[in-house]
Amino acid sequence: NAGVTQTPKFQVLKTGQSMTLQCAQDMNHEYMSWYRQDPGMGLRLIHYSVGAGITDQGEVPNGYNVSRSTTEDFPLRLLSAAPSQTSVYFCASSLGQGHQPQHFGDGTRLSIL
Amino acid sequence: GQQVMQIPQYQHVQEGEDFTTYCNSSTTLSNIQWYKQRPGGHPVFLIQLVKSGEVKKQKRLTFQFGEAKKNSSLHITATQTTDVGTYFCAGPQSGGYQKVTFGTGTKLQVIP
């Protein structure tokens, strides 16, 4: 049972480049979310989705886009990478919305030079 | 917006000592969830509390949800080296389940 799968695990980008972080879950969860984790700041919500075709902004959405065309996939796009986006990114999913436990992927460690 | 703070930020304890982390939200929470993140790993769900004043235990871990549903605590009795990691509380704002806010986390180091 794969759970939540994130790719890539590591990535180095140059300022201004764009890229997509992939997230897929095989648990038929409706709710999916993206967080970034920076030292001393916990996990901050970037975007979330309550189902296919429905997305909304979290706490720190600027510089990131998302889409949810299927229940399984929830990619996160960096349009023009900036050094401030250097972070560890986690994707999570849950059966329901915020009242259900979230299952996290292993994370993507992203460095912007 | 909703803010969730945890104290302390760091804690070093000798193996066998007790440990407590406190979680305080600026708004009322619908529920509180606790997660553990081992070094280099991802957050893993531990438990969820829903009712005002609720107390739950998992072996050496005791979780409490405040009467006003704005604070919570996690207490570990007789810490072991396997308890090392960062503990996060998290919860959706009362009245809405969609946005979950995580606390700032408490990093626990256990000295053998």
Side-chain angles (χ1 to χ4, degrees):
Chain A
N1 193 0
V4 179
T5 302
Q6 289 185 239
T7 56
K9 294 191 182 305
F10 303 93
Q11 184 71 49
V12 178
L13 292 178
K14 294 181 179 179
T15 297
Q17 287 185 317
S18 62
M19 82 160 294
T20 300
L21 308 186
Q22 301 291 344
C23 176
Q25 52 90 11
D26 62 359
M27 298 173 282
N28 202 31
H29 285 173
E30 289 295 325
Y31 185 89
M32 295 186 74
S33 54
W34 276 102
Y35 295 88
R36 60 176 289 173
Q37 184 172 33
D38 302 294
M41 302 188 73
L43 293 103
R44 292 184 291 170
L45 183 64
I46 304 172
H47 285 285
Y48 66 94
S49 169
V50 299
I54 306 170
T55 64
D56 205 348
Q57 297 181 349
E59 182 185 358
V60 287
N62 292 342
Y64 307 95
N65 275 2
V66 292
S67 60
R68 184 97 180 268
S69 56
T70 67
T71 299
E72 294 77 20
D73 301 298
F74 191 42
L76 178 72
R77 297 184 190 85
L78 281 71
L79 305 176
S80 178
S84 61
Q85 294 177 303
T86 293
S87 188
V88 180
Y89 291 85
F90 287 101
C91 177
S93 73
S94 67
L95 187 61
Q97 297 181 18
H99 58 293
Q100 296 288 344
Q102 295 194 71
H103 301 259
F104 283 81
D106 289 339
T108 295
R109 284 148 182 80
L110 182 63
S111 293
I112 315 295
L113 304 179
Chain B
Q2 180 187 25
Q3 294 185 342
V4 181
M5 303 297 293
Q6 283 182 251
I7 54 171
Q9 188 175 4
Y10 301 97
Q11 184 80 59
H12 291 188
V13 299
Q14 291 283 342
E15 189 173 17
E17 290 182 339
D18 291 357
F19 159 78
T20 303
T21 174
Y22 299 91
C23 172
N24 294 289
S25 172
S26 59
T27 60
T28 302
L29 299 169
S30 299
N31 64 65
I32 191 86
Q33 300 166 4
W34 284 91
Y35 293 80
K36 177 183 178 181
Q37 184 178 24
R38 295 183 186 276
H42 59 270
V44 175
F45 173 76
L46 293 177
I47 205 163
Q48 178 173 284
L49 305 171
V50 179
K51 299 177 182 177
S52 170
E54 188 172 11
V55 178
K56 286 188 176 181
K57 292 188 176 183
Q58 286 182 348
K59 297 183 180 178
R60 297 177 294 104
L61 278 61
T62 301
F63 304 84
Q64 190 166 10
F65 200 9
E67 293 291 340
K69 301 184 77 173
K70 294 180 70 174
N71 57 75
S72 181
S73 65
L74 158 60
H75 180 81
I76 302 178
T77 303
T79 55
Q80 301 174 358
T81 55
T82 54
D83 295 325
V84 165
T86 302
Y87 293 85
F88 292 99
C89 61
Q93 196 167 352
S94 182
Y97 291 114
Q98 299 183 350
K99 290 186 180 181
V100 176
T101 300
F102 274 74
T104 46
T106 296
K107 188 173 184 178
L108 173 64
Q109 181 64 40
V110 179
I111 304 165

